[in-house]
Amino acid sequence: MVGLKGSHWAIGVTEANVSFSTAAQVRRALKAEADPEKAVFFPRFFKTGPGEYGEGDRFYGVTVPKCRRIARAAREFADTELTKLLASPFHEEREVALFVLVDRFRRANDAGESRRIYDFYVRHRRFVNNWDLVDGSAPAIVGGFLENRDRSQLYRWARSRNLWERRIAMLSTFHFIKKGDFHDALRIAALLLTDEEDLIHKAVGWMLREVGKKDRAAEERFLETHYQKMPRKMLRYAIEKLPESRRRAYLKGTV
């Protein structure tokens, strides 16, 4: 392993010859990449104030591309070190850990390894606690694992009191949608129609829009049944790619 050089982990080295084996090394790399301006902006963007959905989350101020680069250097991490990152109060440490898990899941070469990664993710899901962390991990790991398996867990999460479990349930169906399988996406969307959280309105609308990209008729069958009781933001997200005349009709309630 190439060690950190001074306070900047990437000076004089390339990704190909850097590897991290401890959470402490990843932490130093993140601190070296920290941007003070982003460290001020991110808490506002991710709603970390009292009573907001990301309350208490902390940030170094490291962008997603840089987190991905650091994660590539940590891809052979032990689970114990991943757990340390996932339990961190710093958003980017959890993000790096999840990027490692997604990469590991995609490289898994047998069902046993895929299950182990999925089970690890499920056991630690309480740390997948902001929308970007869910969106960047649930489709690949949860959706990927459940593609050809029983999906009843998604329905239990969809009924959870926990915002992030409900978002995991909805976003996991993105994997199925990409494969042309809309059944669970539409059923879970129906379960979440009356959800009170703005982040769920956006997630449901987004997934309905993705269904429409694959099969507009399937999306519109759902919309024609449910659009009048959908929260406005959910509806706007869902109809974003429809022709203007159809968007106006849904918004005016004249479909």
Side-chain angles (χ1 to χ4, degrees):
M1 185 203 83
V2 175
L4 302 180
K5 185 173 181 178
S7 62
H8 298 283
W9 73 279
I11 292 178
V13 297
T14 66
E15 288 180 42
N17 61 9
V18 174
S19 64
F20 298 139
S21 59
T22 69
Q25 290 169 332
V26 167
R27 192 170 296 121
R28 287 198 295 272
L30 286 167
K31 289 178 179 178
E33 296 285 9
D35 181 327
E37 290 185 5
K38 288 182 172 58
V40 172
F41 170 72
F42 285 163
R44 296 197 301 268
F45 182 72
F46 287 101
K47 308 295 185 185
T48 64
E52 294 182 310
Y53 61 74
E55 182 176 358
D57 210 352
R58 299 169 64 185
F59 292 82
Y60 293 118
V62 183
T63 62
V64 169
K66 290 178 179 179
C67 285
R68 289 190 184 279
R69 192 170 79 239
I70 291 169
R72 284 194 289 271
R75 66 190 322 198
E76 302 304 331
F77 246 34
D79 286 355
T80 53
E81 298 303 305
L82 280 176
T83 300
K84 292 176 186 177
L85 292 180
L86 283 171
S88 170
F90 282 92
H91 190 98
E92 293 95 337
E93 292 188 31
R94 303 196 304 281
E95 187 167 46
V96 167
L98 291 169
F99 285 155
V100 171
L101 283 176
V102 168
D103 173 70
R104 193 168 291 178
F105 185 86
R106 288 173 172 161
R107 292 188 293 118
N109 55 18
D110 63 67
E113 177 65 4
S114 296
R115 175 170 286 282
R116 193 190 68 77
I117 296 165
Y118 168 80
D119 288 344
F120 181 90
Y121 182 89
V122 171
R123 288 197 306 274
H124 295 85
R125 68 187 182 280
R126 67 188 181 279
F127 302 121
V128 187
N129 57 358
N130 216 310
W131 59 264
D132 63 317
L133 303 181
V134 172
D135 299 0
S137 62
I141 297 175
V142 178
F145 182 75
L146 297 180
E147 180 179 349
N148 298 310
R149 295 178 173 87
D150 175 71
R151 301 174 187 178
S152 58
Q153 180 62 68
L154 297 182
Y155 294 86
R156 288 190 285 273
W157 285 333
R159 295 182 175 92
S160 171
R161 293 182 179 180
N162 183 282
L163 163 63
W164 307 118
E165 289 187 351
R166 299 198 304 278
R167 190 163 174 116
I168 286 172
M170 190 72 255
L171 263 292
S172 295
T173 69
F174 199 1
H175 180 86
F176 315 144
I177 293 168
K178 291 176 182 178
K179 304 282 187 175
D181 176 359
F182 316 132
H183 177 75
D184 295 289
L186 296 175
R187 287 188 65 196
I188 291 172
L191 288 175
L192 296 172
L193 284 177
T194 59
D195 201 285
E196 296 180 356
E197 292 287 349
D198 179 74
L199 286 175
I200 299 300
H201 301 171
K202 292 177 180 178
V204 173
W206 175 19
M207 291 302 99
L208 291 173
R209 186 176 71 227
E210 294 300 324
V211 169
K213 289 179 182 179
K214 291 284 189 178
D215 187 337
R216 178 179 158 188
E219 180 191 13
E220 291 224 46
R221 283 194 297 272
F222 182 93
L223 291 175
E224 288 167 8
T225 301
H226 298 293
Y227 82 97
Q228 291 182 320
K229 58 187 174 184
M230 291 171 68
R232 202 67 167 175
K233 185 167 289 184
M234 184 187 295
L235 178 60
R236 287 187 178 277
Y237 268 60
I239 65 177
E240 188 176 278
K241 298 299 182 180
L242 296 182
E244 179 63 25
S245 60
R246 292 298 284 171
R247 291 203 303 273
R248 286 199 303 268
Y250 280 113
L251 292 172
K252 291 179 180 178
T254 59
V255 171

